Amino acid sequence: HSEGVVRTAFQALQLVLTDFLPLTPHNCLPLAVHTAAKFGSQTQDLNISLTAVGLLWNLSDYFYQNQDSLKDSIIAEPKILPDLPGYKEMSVFDKLWMCLFSRLGDLCLDPRPATRKSAGQTLFSTIAAHGSLLAVGTWQAVLWQVLFPLLDKVGIESGLASTEKSGDQLLIHHSRNTEHKQWAETQVLTISGVARVFVTKRSLLHTLGDFPKAWRLLLEHVEKLALSPTQEVSLAALKAFHEMVVSGEEVVEEKEEEPGRWSTAWKTWLSIGQKSTRPLAPNQEDSCAPTQAFLTSLAHIF
């Protein structure tokens, strides 16, 4: 569609999702999420995409403020609510949140850096602000259907990104002048956000049966990113690792699994240290050697 049609349609959606949201039938809310996300992913107008992400935040706020009435209502939109295998017992209210998280997760992979950044910040802010409303079992879906797939996909996209400089050098800062550098920023946002979820929601996540598996997988991602040749990414991974370890000292009730969890963290730290300080091969440049900032961060974790 032409830019004019997209803009007119979006103005109509904005009107509905701001002024008339309280009048919206509850069974239309999944469609509202889906439609806002569609405008987020359209490529005609970047400002519309960014505003659409803001509408998704508004929707999350509305879900929070109207949780009692939403929990009692039936939202029968099976085509739009996510089909989550293994989560048949999930309440419709939690499925509505999963719908929102999934759509934001999709926008975190948008080709445009600004949309990715906005969607990532909104996703992690929404989880931090409203995640306590979710049933404990739903958190498994958040981890395995949203957060870990997002880490995987961002890693793949970053690996495929071009390292050629952008044509418009005057408008783009040198630290963001290639696709690869722009995806590095997304990697930083994602690993920092997922680690923060583990830190802030640890007491809740610890009650999940597969928490040790999730902890181990997150540490694998941390190790992989810590060994990235991009300094911005490697330092962010170490910072996330430090946050996970330091916050873990404050939790004292989790006696049973503590040894296994700390053992996994220690092995990860050791592996990062050994791999990053290997002697350089003759064909490697000096820039491949770990920087002082990297080694300092690694030492702080110890």
Side-chain angles (χ1 to χ4, degrees), residues 226-252:
L227 297 170
S228 163
T230 307
Q231 185 177 349
E232 179 187 9
V233 175
S234 61
L235 288 176
L238 289 183
K239 186 179 176 184
F241 192 9
H242 186 258
E243 206 176 334
M244 290 163 66
V245 172
V246 169
S247 69
E249 295 172 356
E250 299 162 10
V251 183
V252 289

Side-chain angles (χ1 to χ4, degrees), residues 278-288:
R278 282 176 183 160
L280 294 177
N283 58 343
Q284 283 184 298
E285 299 177 15
D286 287 346
S287 60
C288 296

Side-chain angles (χ1 to χ4, degrees), residues 19-157:
D19 294 7
F20 297 109
L21 193 54
L23 302 176
T24 307
H26 287 169
N27 63 333
C28 293
L29 290 175
L31 187 57
V33 172
H34 187 71
T35 308
K38 282 284 186 186
F39 277 102
S41 60
Q42 59 74 39
T43 54
Q44 295 280 0
D45 189 323
L46 176 61
N47 287 330
I48 285 179
S49 294
L50 299 177
T51 310
V53 173
L55 284 181
L56 289 170
W57 170 258
N58 291 351
L59 280 167
S60 76
D61 213 35
Y62 177 78
F63 296 166
Y64 174 73
Q65 290 171 359
N66 296 273
Q67 53 187 290
D68 294 331
S69 59
L70 284 173
K71 283 176 181 175
D72 295 332
S73 65
I74 298 172
I75 305 170
E77 282 288 351
K79 291 181 181 176
I80 296 172
L81 285 171
D83 180 26
L84 302 167
Y87 302 97
K88 291 179 181 175
E89 302 301 316
M90 188 184 293
S91 70
V92 178
F93 181 64
D94 280 14
K95 279 191 174 182
L96 188 58
W97 282 104
M98 285 301 300
C99 180
L100 182 72
F101 295 154
S102 299
R103 297 285 79 81
L104 281 169
D106 293 341
L107 290 171
C108 290
L109 300 166
D110 192 88
R112 297 159 298 179
T115 307
R116 289 200 303 271
K117 183 176 183 178
S118 179
Q121 290 172 337
T122 304
L123 172 63
F124 293 116
S125 296
T126 306
I127 291 175
H130 306 311
S132 56
L133 298 179
L134 301 175
V136 174
T138 304
W139 271 97
Q140 285 187 305
V142 173
L143 292 182
W144 301 109
Q145 304 284 335
V146 178
L147 298 183
F148 283 126
L150 179 60
L151 275 170
D152 288 333
K153 290 170 186 172
V154 167
I156 291 168
E157 292 291 344

